Each structure stands twice: as structure tokens, then as C-alpha cells.
Amino acid sequence: MNARAQKLVEKLEEPLIVTTPANVRYLTGFVSSNVSVVVEPERVRLFTDFRYAGAARIVPDVEFVETRRETIAHMAEFLSGTFAFESTNLTYRDYEQLRDGGLELIPRMGLVEGLRAVKGEDELEQIRRAAAITNQAYERIAEERFVGRTERELAWRMFEFFHELGAEEEAFDTIVAAGANGARPHADSGERVIEQGTTVVVDAGAVLDGYCSDCTRTFATGELPDELQRAYDVCLEAQLKGLEAARPGIEAKQTDAAARDVITEAGLGEAFGHGLGHGVGIDVHEAPHVAPTSTDTLVANNVLTIEPGIYLEGTGGIRIEDLVVITDGEPEVLTSFPKELVTVS
Ligand code: ZN
Ligand code: ZN
């Protein structure tokens, strides 16, 4: 049993059926769309069908069990007794199949996710490399012409940069949102032509060795209207306050509040409708959650984003997002592209 599975075992009240692909990957290194892992105190079993058998057989520290294509239904034949399952992932149909196979099932959540929130040195190194690629892609996009091109064209350029720089894929579809479209936090990059004298929000991240990075910068296409310039200044101050409050032992909702208070005091609280940040790792959104409703407390080796935004309906949006590692002192900021407003042509 490897060290990650061993740590999980110490947290379990009963054996756990792991079906969330990112959790399977974390525990075993195995990647498949049809796999379940059962973690018990004395062993880890990996169930998958013949298509993945060759790869599954060489996974270290697990017992491989080949199943029919219907892995979950067949798996029940190898198990008996009481098992926990991941209630945020197992489908109701899968649940019924396990139950009909005679298993006693207990819903649990966040067990593996809790371990994943605290990165090992090897994981930190992979995320640093994914972030370095992202930094370089931002250096390159800043050299591009913005005015007169569509959001989609620039999103495609980011995609090309990531691949040229060695990324496996994008962590998510790059968002390029100009002008009024930037007032939507999860805007689609569309056919809108970018105009002069507005903001362009660019949110992008690379995946390397299965680990994500995440960054947002907001560019100006010439001199901004006072309202947007002021919003940028407030957002930047909020971002810096958020970084200052990103310390181990602090409740994540306090980190959120440190940034949010700046925006609220500037009279723009209504324009910041999302949480301050999120954990990043195998998934681009994972624990810990940095938001007013969060119950998480930050600890060293969390990797998370600090990304306040100000969205002015009908006018434009601002978001500034850094990826950071929580350390015993100041956070290690993995995002190197300047945060001061960068003007593009
Ligand atoms: Zn982002
Ligand atoms: Zn993010």
C-alpha cells in the first residue's frame, strides 16, 4: 500500500469504494473512465475491464481485479459487508447495483479530497511547472494585437501557446471576455470584436503531468473610462489584501473577507458575486474553498487561487487571479505576470 492510501486508511471508519476519477488517479496513478478502487485497511484493490487490464496490471501496490465492462455491477460479486461510497460521484444506478449485490452502503464525502488539498513536494513541483507555462503564455498573449480581433481568436492563440510550451491540454476553455462581456464571470469567448478603451479579462490555465494551473489577468485596450480604472485599482488592492490573509491556520472565509472588505468599502460589494478562490491540483476546482460560506481552514501546502473580481453590468469586468502555495510564512506566488494594469494595442 502506498503512502497516500495508508493516510486514507487512517481516516476511514469502513472500507471505501472510490469512483471519482481524480481520486482514483491520486491514490493509484491510474487513469481510466471505467475504474473503481476499494481501499481496505490491509489492501487496495483496483477493478477495471479488459480494455485497461494491461495498464492496470502494472500499477504498483494494488491488487488488480479484472471485471466485465459493467465494472460496478460485477465488482459487487467480489465484495461483502459494509462499504462507504463517494456520494458526490456514484450514480443512483451504480448504488442500486451495489445494494442489489448485497452490500451495506454508507455515503461519505470529501475523504480523498481532504488529502488532495494538502500537496506533497512532488505535486507542488508539477503545479509550479504548469504555472510556469501559464506565465509564459501570458507573456506571449500580451504581445498580441487585441483591438479589432475577436475574443475567440485570442482564446485560440492561448490554446496554441499552451501547446507550443509543452502543456498536455488546457485546464479549461480559455476565457477571453472584452467590454461588457467581461462583466460575466464565466463568459464565453465569442465572435465579439474587441474595442479600444475597455478591459479584456483573460482566464486560462495549463495542465502538465495531470496537474492544473489557473491564472486571470485583465488587460486594458487603451485608456479606460474612470469607472473601470477605479474598479481595477480596487480589485488590485483587494487581491493584495487577500494574499496577505492567505496564511496557515486562518479560516478560508477570513481570507475571503480580507479581500471582500476592500471591495465593499469601495461601494462595489454587489459587483463581486463569487468566492475569492479555490484549491487547484488534479482538478482545477478542488478543496479548499475560499468563500464566505467556507468551513475550511488553510494549512501549509494548500495550493489555491486568490481571484477577486468586480463586474460592472453593461460596462466591463475586472478579475485578477494568482495561484499560490500556502507556506508557514508568506504564500509562494506561482503567477509571475504583472498585476499592475497592462495596456495592449
Ligand atoms: Zn481562473
Ligand atoms: Zn480560478
Side-chain angles (χ1 to χ4, degrees), residues 25-230:
R25 180 174 190 150
Y26 177 78
L27 291 170
T28 67
F30 189 71
V31 181
S32 160
S33 59
N34 189 42
V35 59
S36 290
V37 165
V38 175
V39 180
E40 296 162 285
E42 64 286 356
R43 62 176 169 172
V44 176
R45 276 182 288 175
L46 187 151
F47 298 80
T48 187
D49 70 76
F50 79 98
R51 294 172 296 164
Y52 303 102
R57 230 169 247 122
I58 56 173
V59 175
D61 306 319
V62 305
E63 292 174 29
F64 165 53
V65 182
E66 186 171 328
T67 63
R68 294 188 296 269
R69 188 78 166 253
E70 300 75 30
T71 293
I72 296 278
H74 194 183
M75 190 171 80
E77 296 174 22
F78 297 92
L79 307 175
S80 66
T82 302
F83 290 83
F85 67 96
E86 296 185 303
S87 63
T88 50
N89 178 266
L90 198 81
T91 66
Y92 188 66
R93 179 178 150 74
D94 291 340
Y95 173 88
E96 284 183 316
Q97 287 177 330
L98 291 171
R99 185 197 58 196
D100 294 348
L103 303 191
E104 202 70 52
L105 293 165
I106 299 172
R108 302 274 183 205
M109 55 185 185
L111 290 166
V112 184
E113 287 83 350
L115 297 178
R116 280 170 49 199
V118 184
K119 270 64 180 178
E121 277 309 317
D122 51 338
E123 295 181 287
L124 291 179
E125 205 39 57
Q126 282 160 334
I127 295 169
R128 284 186 191 107
R129 288 167 55 222
I133 284 178
T134 305
N135 292 334
Q136 291 175 62
Y138 274 85
E139 298 288 347
R140 291 190 187 187
I141 199 80
E143 299 296 315
E144 293 282 315
R145 187 170 50 79
F146 276 54
V147 176
R149 295 173 84 183
T150 64
E151 295 168 341
R152 194 169 286 162
E153 269 181 271
L154 286 169
W156 177 248
R157 289 298 283 151
M158 282 302 272
F159 183 86
E160 290 178 319
F161 294 147
F162 281 142
H163 283 269
E164 286 166 18
L165 291 162
E168 282 162 29
E169 55 179 326
E170 292 185 298
F172 51 90
D173 289 341
T174 291
I175 295 171
V176 176
N181 193 37
R184 298 160 56 213
H186 273 184
D188 283 327
S189 310
E191 290 303 323
R192 276 163 299 269
V193 174
I194 298 170
E195 292 172 10
Q196 201 156 19
T198 191
T199 52
V200 184
V201 178
V202 179
D203 190 350
V207 180
L208 197 66
D209 296 332
Y211 281 82
C212 299
S213 62
D214 191 5
C215 171
T216 306
R217 286 295 183 262
T218 300
F219 297 93
T221 55
E223 199 172 330
L224 294 180
D226 289 349
E227 196 186 8
L228 280 174
Q229 179 63 55
R230 176 169 174 268

Side-chain angles (χ1 to χ4, degrees), residues 172 186 203 214-216 276-280 284-285 305-307 319 321-322:
F172 51 90
H186 273 184
D203 190 350
D214 191 5
C215 171
T216 306
L276 181 65
H278 53 87
V280 173
V284 74
H285 290 113
T305 67
I306 301 288
E307 51 175 310
R319 186 164 64 257
E321 174 180 32
D322 280 345

